[in-house]
């Protein structure tokens, strides 16, 4: 009954928002076609009549010069831009050493495809001075509210997984377990604009399940509007997977074999008339490799007693993951579309381990075994209706997500009086979502967006010890309104307000039923100014929330290492952050420069907390989570791309931000530290389908209120050759070839009224890999993204495997 009442409130709020903004009714008037088409052309040298490959082409709307599509020509000078909506455009062609040329082109619902034929461009000393690079399918694209990393254009990704891809995305920092931060803040990760139930258990594990070959692009959204769920204090990351949408049958096949892991990916689309069927399969297998762990724990009590525990051991874990999806998309006519997608993910990770312990001078040997599994099913149904009025759209969506994760572990101290530990945890996560959105353009420059949403989550966590069972229910009702308009010819504004009511109740058999309800308003605003030379200046503000997920809340005691226990905290409060950003982007003779500065204030920051406990006369460490205090973060980011030669691209990104947390009530004051991350890439095309790439990533030491984790460095290279008339490719790639292990040291210090704790962990993680990869495309590929539900509202565990323990590969 509560769920029905909450959903009624959601819909009532939505229609109230409509009445408040005066939005007209749905439909109305004659219909307009939403069929998309393609624009093709051949670019030749005006003097030699020879084709120009790698010419940069950008498609911009004639009415406001806004970039909507783009690409580069192939070795025959041919270009094909897919998924082009009917409109009037300008096609801008540029190439180093040639004059930029602009060609008018128009497509209509009755004639969506347009073949321009041959376009001649003339040599000149000016090199790409006026080309708008943002519309091209380069590795990096800059847009008003996001940066896009086109993973499919980066050959070094072959043979990896989504974690490897994320390490190369500008502004992101990724630790050794695959946990992601955006400019030092927590981030919400979506897949095709919607969450996956597997993410609710562990973001790092979910990313490892996705082969890199399935990823089309990664969107980094630093200034989300009120239309997005308010989750993610640092922003949103949206992973777009490959999908084809062309008449007939088309698809891709990818395979890679390496010393660290093997991947396989298959995508297939069959389309006839208005019906499209999509399916995909992906799998990965990581070999069992030893990760060495050195651990030291020292507790000094105020009475002079000192307890010490040291550990030198290893875990030898393997990892298997697979995913599959099946989707149907049908156009009833040019104005009504329905689509549905079912996606399933499965994952397992674990293996044996052994360690030598010294506890207060006495030696012991520990043997252990760990097994974790994740299975999840997501089902979406989406309906979209458009009208003749340009830009008017109504949609309604439903989503069901059902997941199950298991954790089983044992460890035993050989020849001691310590009891052996055997325990397991089964988590079940069910989530139901209903969402509706409406967009109405009052004029070509003024648009109103309104919508409503209800999310109903039910989580059960069952333990061997029934007294620890955990039941958690979270319901969210949301409504939003966003309006965008032009303040002048070159000055644009987009602002909105989102309201979210969160109802929470949870039950532990030891503490009974507890509740935590709250209501929040989340404003957002972006002002964008177009400057001379295709430069853009923007100023943005938004408020965000970070709700703790199951991994943070689950009170299950993970004793996979019985001297280093991990446990969630059910009564955590959400984080609330206010974000301000000033950004600037420009294009100078084919070079791209994007710079930004930002300030973020976050209240109720959630971090892991280490403390000492004594059980059966033995001192142990307990890692849990607390709302540590308020953080003020200042930062800057600069990205640049430059082409010294037409087929040579240099690219780099530098991000810096401060870390500082304080709490006057608890006396926490960390001081101010500087974090940074550096990304660099060089790619060169030798012609005849040969391509070579190098990349490197440096992440600075990472701070918490209790400690510090050392810096991490990743680097690699790839060599690829196009084969089978450019429908396929074969290549080799390497990652950290000169060092087998990535050495990460973490130090924590904890002071309590009775004791002082010092903890040091050294992890040697096997990262080096060599691989061979193959890919093949058949049919005509055309990538699209349908509107889906976006449940971007839950903070993920920043520790690997949720509450897992051990080291994953």
């Amino acid at each position: 009954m509560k769920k029905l009442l909450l959903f009624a409130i959601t819909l009532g709020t939505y229609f109230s928002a409509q009445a408040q903004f005066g939005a007209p009714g749905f439909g109305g008037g004659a219909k307009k076609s939403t069929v998309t088409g393609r624009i093709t052309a051949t670019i030749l040298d005006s003097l030699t009549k020879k084709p120009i490959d790698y010419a940069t082409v950008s498609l911009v709307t004639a009415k406001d010069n806004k970039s909507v599509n783009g690409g580069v020509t192939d070795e025959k000078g041919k270009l094909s831009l897919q998924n082009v909506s009917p409109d009037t455009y300008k096609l801008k062609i540029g190439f180093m050493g040639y004059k930029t040329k602009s060609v008018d082109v128009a497509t209509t619902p009755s004639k969506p495809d347009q073949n321009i034929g041959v376009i001649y461009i003339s040599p000149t000393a000016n090199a790409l001075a006026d080309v708008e690079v943002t519309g091209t399918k380069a590795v990096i694209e800059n847009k008003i509210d996001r940066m896009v990393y086109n993973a499919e254009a980066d050959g070094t990704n072959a043979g990896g997984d989504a974690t490897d891809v994320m390490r190369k995305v500008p502004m992101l920092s990724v630790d050794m377990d695959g946990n992601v931060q955006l400019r030092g803040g927590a981030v919400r990760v979506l897949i095709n604009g919607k969450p996956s139930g597997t993410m609710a258990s562990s973001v790092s594990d979910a990313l490892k399940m996705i082969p890199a070959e399935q990823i089309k692009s990664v969107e980094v959204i630093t200034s989300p509007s009120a239309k997005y769920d308010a989750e993610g204090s640092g922003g949103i990351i949206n992973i777009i997977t490959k999908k084809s949408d062309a008449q007939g049958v088309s698809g891709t096949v990818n395979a890679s074999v390496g010393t660290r892991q093997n991947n396989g990916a298959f995508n297939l689309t069959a389309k006839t008339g208005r019906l499209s069927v999509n399916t995909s399969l992906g799998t990965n297998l990581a070999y069992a490799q030893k990760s060495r762990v050195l651990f030291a724990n020292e507790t000094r009590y105020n009475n002079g007693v000192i307890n010490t525990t040291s550990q030198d051991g290893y875990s030898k874990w393997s990892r298997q993951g697979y995913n599959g999806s099946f989707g149907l998309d049908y156009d009833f006519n040019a104005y009504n579309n329905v689509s549905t997608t079912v996606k399933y993910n499965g994952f397992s990770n674990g293996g044996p381990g052994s360690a030598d312990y010294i506890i207060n001078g006495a030696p012991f040997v520990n043997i252990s075994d760990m097994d974790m599994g994740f299975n999840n099913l997501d089902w979406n149904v989406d309906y979209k209706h458009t009208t003749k009025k340009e830009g008017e759209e109504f949609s309604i969506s439903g989503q069901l997500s059902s997941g199950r994760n298991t954790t089983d572990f044992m460890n035993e101290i050989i020849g001691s009086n310590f009891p052996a530990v055997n325990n397991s945890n089964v988590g079940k996560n069910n989530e139901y979502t209903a969402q509706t959105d409406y967009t109405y353009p009052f004029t070509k420059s003024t648009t109103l967006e309104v919508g409503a949403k209800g999310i109903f989550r039910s989580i059960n966590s069952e333990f061997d010890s029934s007294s620890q069972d955990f039941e958690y229910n979270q319901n969210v009702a949301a409504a939003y309104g966003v309006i965008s308009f032009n303040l002048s010819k070159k000055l644009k504004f987009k602002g909105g307000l989102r309201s979210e009511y969160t109802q929470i109740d949870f039950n532990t058999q030891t503490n009974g039923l507890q509740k935590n309800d709250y209501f929040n308003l989340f404003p957002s605003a972006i002002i964008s100014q177009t400057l001379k030379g295709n430069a853009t200046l923007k100023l943005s503000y938004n408020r965000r929330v970070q709700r703790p997920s199951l991994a943070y809340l689950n009170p299950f005691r993970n004793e996979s290492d019985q001297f280093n226990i991990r446990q969630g905290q059910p009564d955590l409060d959400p984080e609330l952050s206010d974000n301000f950003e000033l950004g600037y982007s420009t294009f100078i003779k084919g070079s791209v420069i994007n710079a930004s500065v930002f300030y973020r204030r976050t209240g109720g920051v959630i971090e892991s907390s280490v403390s000492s406990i004594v059980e059966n006369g033995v001192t142990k460490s307990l890692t849990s989570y607390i709302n540590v205090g308020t953080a003020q973060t200042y930062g800057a980011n600069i990205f640049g791309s430059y082409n010294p030669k037409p087929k040579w691209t240099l690219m780099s990104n530098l991000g810096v931000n401060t870390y500082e947390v304080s709490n006057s009530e608890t006396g926490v004051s960390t001081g101010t530290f500087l974090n940074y991350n550096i990304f660099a890439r060089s790619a060169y095309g030798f012609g005849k389908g040969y391509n070579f790439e190098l990349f490197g990533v440096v992440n600075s030491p990472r701070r918490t209120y209790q400690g510090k984790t050392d810096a991490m460095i990743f680097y690699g290279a790839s060599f690829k050759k196009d084969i089978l008339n450019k429908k396929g490719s074969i290549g080799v790639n390497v990652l950290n070839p000169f060092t087998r292990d990535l050495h990460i040291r973490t130090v924590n210090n904890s002071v309590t009224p009775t004791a002082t704790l010092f903890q040091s962990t050294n992890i040697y993680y096997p990262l080096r890999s060599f691989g061979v990869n193959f890919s093949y495309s058949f049919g005509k590929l055309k990538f699209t993204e349908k509107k889906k539900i976006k449940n971007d509202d839950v903070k993920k565990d920043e520790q690997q495997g949720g509450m897992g323990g051990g080291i994953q590969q």
Side-chain angles (χ1 to χ4, degrees), residues 640-654:
S641 178
Y642 172 62
N643 292 83
K645 294 184 178 181
K647 297 181 182 180
W648 185 15
T649 300
L650 297 176
M651 185 180 300
S652 183
N653 186 85
L654 170 65

Side-chain angles (χ1 to χ4, degrees), residues 159-161 208-211 256-264 282-289 317-322 346-350 809:
D161 55 38
K208 292 185 179 81
M209 291 168 61
I210 307 173
S256 62
V257 179
T259 58
R260 185 165 63 106
Q261 65 181 23
N262 307 307
N263 286 349
T283 182
N284 56 50
L285 167 65
Y287 300 113
Q289 298 187 63
W317 287 14
S318 61
R319 175 167 52 85
Q320 302 86 36
Y322 54 91
F347 175 83
S348 63
N349 192 16
Q809 302 175 20

